[in-house]
Amino acid sequence: QPIFCSFTEDFCWGRLARGGVTVKHIPGSHENIFVEPNVKYLAEEIEECLVETMPAPAVTQKTQTHELV
């Protein structure tokens, strides 16, 4: 069986990716995914994936800048 098999939804990337694979369905085909309106959906999915992988912002505690006398 070839290493990259198109019979599975993830094209067998799940066997290679240590953290697993999430398949996102984008309208269009391989030839026109970078053409409007398909590229809009592609950009939205990429942006969502990037946001999901970003670490949560660190919560900073405010310290008092003056002394109470």
Side-chain angles (χ1 to χ4, degrees):
Q1 179 174 351
I3 195 166
F4 296 108
C5 165
S6 63
F7 296 116
T8 62
E9 185 179 51
D10 69 353
F11 291 91
C12 295
W13 280 103
R15 295 181 185 177
L16 301 173
R18 291 183 183 176
V21 174
T22 302
V23 176
K24 304 284 185 169
H25 294 278
I26 307 294
S29 65
H30 184 79
E31 293 79 20
N32 65 15
I33 199 168
F34 294 107
V35 179
E36 288 290 350
N38 301 331
V39 72
K40 178 180 111 178
Y41 296 105
L42 175 63
E44 289 171 357
E45 286 293 339
I46 290 173
E47 185 173 15
E48 285 179 23
C49 291
L50 291 173
V51 168
E52 289 173 8
T53 61
M54 295 293 292
V59 177
T60 58
Q61 293 185 355
K62 293 185 179 185
T63 56
Q64 293 182 343
T65 57
H66 62 279
E67 283 187 39
L68 298 176
V69 183

